[in-house]
């Protein structure tokens, strides 16, 4: 079978898009799945490039649409499971020991987070798969809290299938304009990152101010 090249002329051969295109060219669906698994483990690798590119490749006949969705979702689940087991290996005791060494946080913060996860964990794992940055991070607390593996896999598969499906189909329908998807999802990723940084900065400033006030009252 003749293998079609999916790399676009304007994409740098040594860029991430070029590398992703080479993977899909060489390995087809499994190549896309491998990239998505790596993207889960290393969030800086952008799914907004590989998923629309895989959809474009499906439109070019390099692989079937069903194969594109199957392999990218399998890659998502494999990467998420690796992070789940990292969380499980850390465990609650180590997590509390590590937390106790961190500045500006209290054990009660972690306890509240655990209580929240116990109540909303299933929703967080499912919906988290569709939020940039949190897509990877959400698997670790699921492992620490030992969410039942079948439940974790089912939620991750469903959430990943929706996210991957939207981006793969976008690339499939947009054809040679597949890289437009990256622009929009990239902007969403940056917005989420900014919100996280702002929330973290607000948390730190409140804690620092609280400590200063406490110290002042003690001196008084």
């Amino acid at each position: 079978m003749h293998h079609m090249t999916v790399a676009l002329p304007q994409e740098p051969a040594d860029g991430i898009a070029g590398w992703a295109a080479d993977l899909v060219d060489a390995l087809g669906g499994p190549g896309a799945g491998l990239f998505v698994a790596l993207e889960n483990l290393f969030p800086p690798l952008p799914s907004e490039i590989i998923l629309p590119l895989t959809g474009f490749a499906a439109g070019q006949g390099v692989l079937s649409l069903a194969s594109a969705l199957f392999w990218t979702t399998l890659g998502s689940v494999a990467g998420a499971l690796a992070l789940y087991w990292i969380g499980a290996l850390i465990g609650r005791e180590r997590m509390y020991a590590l937390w106790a060494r961190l500045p500006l946080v209290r054990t009660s913060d972690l306890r509240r987070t655990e209580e929240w996860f116990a109540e909303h964990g299933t929703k967080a794992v499912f919906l988290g798969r569709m939020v940039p940055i949190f897509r990877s991070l959400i698997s670790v607390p699921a492992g620490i809290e030992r969410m039942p593996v079948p439940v974790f896999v089912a939620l991750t598969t469903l959430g990943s299938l929706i996210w991957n499906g939207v981006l793969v189909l976008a690339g499939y329908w947009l054809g040679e304009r597949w890289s437009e998807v990256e622009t929009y999802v990239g902007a969403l990723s940056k917005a989420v990152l900014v919100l996280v940084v702002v929330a973290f900065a607000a948390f730190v400033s409140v804690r620092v101010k609280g400590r200063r006030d406490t110290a002042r009252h003690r001196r008084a």
Side-chain angles (χ1 to χ4, degrees), residues 40 72-74 76-81 84 116-131 134-136 138-139 141-143 145-165:
N40 272 264
T72 54
T73 301
L74 184 65
S76 292
V77 174
L81 268 173
Y84 174 95
W116 182 90
F117 198 87
E119 193 175 340
H120 304 287
T122 51
K123 290 195 286 278
V125 170
F126 172 65
L127 296 171
R129 301 302 307 166
M130 298 171 235
V131 180
F134 290 101
R135 300 178 68 246
S136 297
I138 197 64
S139 303
E145 297 302 321
R146 291 296 178 111
M147 176 181 277
V149 174
V151 174
F152 176 77
V153 169
L155 292 166
T156 300
T157 301
L158 194 55
S160 299
L161 188 58
I162 293 169
W163 171 262
N164 294 358

Side-chain angles (χ1 to χ4, degrees), residues 130-204:
M130 298 171 235
V131 180
I133 300 166
F134 290 101
R135 300 178 68 246
S136 297
L137 298 179
I138 197 64
S139 303
V140 178
I144 290 172
E145 297 302 321
R146 291 296 178 111
M147 176 181 277
V149 174
V151 174
F152 176 77
V153 169
L155 292 166
T156 300
T157 301
L158 194 55
S160 299
L161 188 58
I162 293 169
W163 171 262
N164 294 358
V166 168
L167 269 64
V168 167
L169 286 169
Y172 183 80
W173 287 324
L174 283 168
E176 298 215 349
R177 293 185 296 120
W178 65 269
S179 57
E180 289 178 18
V181 180
E182 181 198 344
T183 308
Y184 294 109
V185 179
L188 178 63
S189 298
K190 288 186 182 76
V192 170
L193 186 59
V194 167
L195 286 172
V196 169
V197 170
V198 168
F200 180 72
F203 170 81
V204 169

Side-chain angles (χ1 to χ4, degrees), residues 7-21:
L8 297 181
Q10 67 265 35
E11 290 300 346
D14 57 346
I16 289 177
W19 179 50

Side-chain angles (χ1 to χ4, degrees), residues 24-60:
V24 177
D25 267 349
L27 302 173
L34 176 62
F35 190 100
V36 172
L38 290 172
E39 179 259 330
N40 272 264
L41 294 167
F42 308 103
L45 286 174
S47 63
E48 60 265 27
I49 287 179
I50 187 62
L51 293 170
L53 177 67
T54 306
F56 170 60
Q60 297 291 302

